[in-house]
Amino acid sequence: LMEVMMENNNSIEENFKELDDIISEMSKDDISLEKSFELYNQGLKLVQNSNLQIGDMEKKIIVLNEGKDE
């Protein structure tokens, strides 16, 4: 997973835009199996990276909320 983070410095919004583009490309009738598999792997890496980013944000929110109660 750390390798995924090193490869992708996109924002979550940019990741979602790329995922949307990948889904559109994979939906084409003339896509080869090889290209489909390549796009699937790219999409999987984007999802993993987004999950890590969301997890980091959740941790920051928890820390901010804990500080607010004191």
Side-chain angles (χ1 to χ4, degrees):
L1 289 178
M2 292 303 286
E3 182 179 314
V4 171
M5 285 183 63
M6 298 295 240
E7 291 177 4
N8 182 351
N9 293 323
N10 291 350
S11 69
I12 293 172
E13 292 82 4
E14 291 169 330
N15 286 347
F16 286 171
K17 170 71 172 97
E18 278 190 55
L19 282 168
D20 191 43
D21 293 344
I22 287 171
I23 291 168
S24 294
E25 191 69 25
M26 289 180 74
S27 298
K28 293 182 179 176
D29 291 335
D30 61 346
I31 190 167
S32 70
L33 183 59
E34 291 83 9
K35 183 66 176 175
S36 181
F37 184 69
E38 178 185 322
L39 290 169
Y40 174 82
N41 282 325
Q42 288 176 3
L44 189 57
K45 288 179 183 180
L46 288 167
V47 169
Q48 290 171 337
N49 184 267
S50 295
N51 283 337
L52 289 172
Q53 289 174 308
I54 290 169
D56 287 344
M57 276 192 236
E58 288 174 340
K59 290 174 191 170
K60 289 176 185 176
I61 290 170
I62 289 169
V63 169
L64 289 173
N65 282 335
E66 286 176 353
K68 188 174 74 174
D69 292 338
E70 294 178 5

